[in-house]
Amino acid sequence: MLRDGAGRVYAFINTEPNGDQTIRPADGVPIGRYYKGMDMTMDLRSGRQIAKGNALMALVPPPVY
């Protein structure tokens, strides 16, 4: 769970048993996936690789109030 400075949840990261992770903003639609076996992060909205390694948090910046 990712929280902003005020403690409000703005995203969730789910980890699967094989180590893969999915990130979704608070509205619920998954937007990114980290594949542990390939050590890469994909943007599910565009279908493109965005980074080597786990960069899921870069897909959902904290909200600005």
Side-chain angles (χ1 to χ4, degrees):
M1 196 175 324
L2 302 176
R3 296 179 183 270
D4 63 14
R8 290 174 268 212
V9 175
Y10 67 92
F12 298 92
I13 296 178
N14 299 322
T15 303
E16 297 180 11
N18 66 355
D20 290 357
Q21 295 181 327
T22 304
I23 191 166
R24 62 184 172 86
D27 64 14
V29 178
I31 60 168
R33 185 167 177 89
Y34 168 68
Y35 296 94
K36 183 179 179 187
M38 294 183 282
D39 193 30
M40 71 171 192
T41 302
M42 297 284 294
D43 183 335
L44 297 177
R45 298 168 291 191
S46 67
R48 299 176 67 151
Q49 178 180 345
I50 62 161
K52 181 78 173 154
N54 189 339
L56 288 177
M57 290 178 40
L59 293 171
V60 184
V64 177
Y65 300 104

